[in-house]
Amino acid sequence: MEEKKTLYSGMQATGALTLGNYLGALKNWVRLNEEYDCFFGVMDLHSLTVRQNPAEFRQNARKLYALYVAAGLDPEKNCVYFQSHVSAHAELAWILNCFTYVGELGRMTQYKDKSLKHADNVNAGLFTYPVLMAADILLYQAAVVPVGIDQKQHLEITRDIAERFNKIYGDVFTIPDAYFGKHSAKIMSLADPTKKMSKSDENTNSHILLTDDKDTIIRKFKRAVTDSDTVVRYGEDKPGISNLMDIYGSVTGKTHEQIEEEFSGRGYGDFKLAVGEAVADELAPLQADYERLLKDKAYIDECIKKNDDRARYVSNKTLRKVKKKIGLTEV
Ligand code: TRP
């Protein structure tokens, strides 16, 4: 049997997830998990660049883990684990820091954006965030990294760091490719379709949380901002309707043309209701599983332990090799 390539991805462990996170990331991960040997991390070390309330943070990280599993990342088939439980991440990040230039980190747009947004806490972690991300990916020799388009630059710097290292020490790291899924539409805010859907938006009608109940979902879609004509058609001049079509298409698998046909001659009201119902139906089994998993602490603990061990084993192989190559002593 041909060996599967490795896939790596993860999300930060902060707060609830939105429909955007699900359709843009999680759902695609689930689609890919037969084809690749997959590692999915709860990226709790990355979350430390922002000050966290310890009790909430601990809970949110476990909730994210449960959500991964509920969404279909089977912890028996994929390695679903906690980044902070595997010390190789922090160790390799340090080493890679010494192979990364201040100049290239300073060009990262996410760093620039976040240091403006959190001007009172521009910590060194925010600056070296992409190096930790490179360590995550390179430790597992990942070939494929499904990420949102906002992480493209971080993938590029990961490749640059890996190539730089390999050039000096030989083929130590697999050079990863970013994977932007064909299906993974970027989901926009329901209140302002020119902005990305975000859970930090104060207007709660702007985003669907994965934990929203059916009535809430339908109500939020009813209120979604559209435009003044009444035709369900995809186009740059119709960002609101186009966003709803992307959502409906991601959930049902229908193309834009099929959706236009389905709703031709019918108004926005019908369409919005159909989108709301389709989303609620898609999320219902996930929500039921999630509720069940949150109550089953023993099962989740067991999954975490087992998967942490596998992640430690795989990542330590790479770390040992790196240490040897650069001349750190062994006994
Ligand atoms: N920075 C990523 C995000 O915010 C999360 C992340 C951390 C990640 N390490 C990773 C994604 C490694 C892919 C691979 O979305």
Side-chain angles (χ1 to χ4, degrees):
M1 201 177 82
E2 203 185 323
E3 229 179 89
K4 288 181 179 175
K5 286 190 186 168
T6 301
L7 177 151
Y8 192 95
S9 204
M11 282 183 204
Q12 283 202 44
T14 33
L17 296 191
T18 68
L19 183 66
N21 301 122
Y22 177 68
L23 296 178
L26 264 181
K27 195 173 168 174
N28 289 304
W29 298 357
V30 175
R31 274 195 195 106
L32 294 165
N33 79 3
E34 292 289 321
E35 199 179 326
Y36 295 97
D37 184 16
C38 294
F39 291 82
F40 297 109
V42 170
M43 298 310 190
D44 48 357
L45 294 176
H46 277 108
S47 307
L48 295 174
T49 55
V50 175
R51 207 63 69 228
Q52 303 289 341
N53 168 311
E56 279 173 22
F57 183 33
R58 198 173 290 126
Q59 264 197 349
N60 284 337
R62 284 188 70 93
K63 283 184 178 169
L64 180 61
Y65 192 95
L67 213 49
Y68 278 1
V69 176
L73 302 177
D74 182 348
E76 307 286 332
K77 291 191 189 144
N78 307 278
C79 185
V80 189
Y81 75 102
F82 275 73
Q83 181 191 34
S84 67
H85 299 182
V86 180
S87 57
H89 289 255
E91 285 188 68
L92 184 63
W94 171 255
I95 295 171
L96 297 180
N97 266 322
C98 304
F99 291 85
T100 309
Y101 297 109
V102 168
E104 57 188 344
L105 288 175
R107 284 196 292 275
M108 296 290 117
T109 51
Q110 188 167 313
Y111 168 69
K112 290 193 263 188
D113 291 350
K114 292 210 169 158
S115 34
L116 286 177
K117 226 166 111 189
H118 307 282
D120 56 334
N121 184 17
V122 185
N123 57 70
L126 202 60
F127 192 62
T128 59
Y129 181 109
V131 184
L132 178 59
M133 186 161 158
D136 302 335
I137 296 166
L138 299 177
L139 275 174
Y140 298 86
Q141 305 291 351
V144 175
V145 185
V147 279
I149 202 80
D150 60 326
Q151 298 296 311
K152 185 166 177 249
Q153 218 184 7
H154 291 165
L155 251 294
E156 281 161 8
I157 199 173
T158 300
R159 291 170 61 97
D160 290 344
I161 296 168
E163 277 166 4
R164 189 172 300 147
F165 193 96
N166 283 356
K167 214 163 153 193
I168 310 175
Y169 300 105
D171 277 343
V172 176
F173 296 125
T174 303
I175 309 298
D177 279 317
Y179 176 98
F180 310 110
K182 308 192 254 315
H183 303 279
S184 69
K186 181 170 170 190
I187 305 302
M188 311 306 276
S189 158
L190 300 183
D192 176 358
T194 62
K195 286 197 319 207
K196 189 173 152 181
M197 183 181 281
S198 161
K199 64 186 169 225
S200 49
D201 195 320
E202 278 161 30
N203 178 356
T204 55
N205 285 324
S206 74
H207 51 269
I208 305 285
L209 295 178
L210 292 189
T211 46
D212 280 345
D213 62 26
K214 186 165 187 169
D215 289 347
T216 308
I217 293 174
I218 289 178
R219 178 171 49 76
K220 287 181 179 179
F221 276 110
K222 264 192 197 153
R223 295 200 182 155
V225 167
T226 49
D227 49 70
S228 54
D229 81 41
T230 55
V231 188
V232 176
R233 173 177 60 76
Y234 203 84
E236 254 171 52
D237 56 326
K238 294 168 72 79
I241 285 295
S242 298
N243 185 40
L244 296 184
M245 287 176 71
D246 278 335
I247 294 172
Y248 191 64
S250 295
V251 169
T252 60
K254 290 178 186 166
T255 63
H256 294 152
E257 294 73 39
Q258 286 169 331
I259 299 169
E260 284 169 4
E261 200 168 307
E262 182 178 351
F263 292 95
S264 91
R266 294 162 68 183
Y268 284 169
D270 267 12
F271 177 52
K272 287 177 166 180
L273 183 63
V275 181
E277 281 181 339
V279 168
D281 289 349
E282 163 100 5
L283 295 184
L286 182 156
Q287 292 174 342
D289 266 356
Y290 176 64
E291 290 303 325
R292 186 177 54 74
L293 287 165
L294 282 185
K295 288 190 201 113
D296 197 349
K297 184 168 180 305
Y299 173 71
I300 290 288
D301 283 347
E302 189 195 309
C303 291
I304 295 174
K305 279 209 186 98
K306 241 177 32 200
N307 282 286
D308 284 351
D309 279 345
R310 166 132 194 267
R312 280 190 202 107
Y313 176 80
V314 175
S315 58
N316 268 313
K317 276 207 277 195
T318 302
L319 184 63
R320 271 200 306 275
K321 197 165 168 190
V322 167
K323 287 181 168 175
K324 199 167 167 182
K325 290 279 186 186
I326 60 181
L328 289 170
T329 55
E330 291 169 291
V331 282

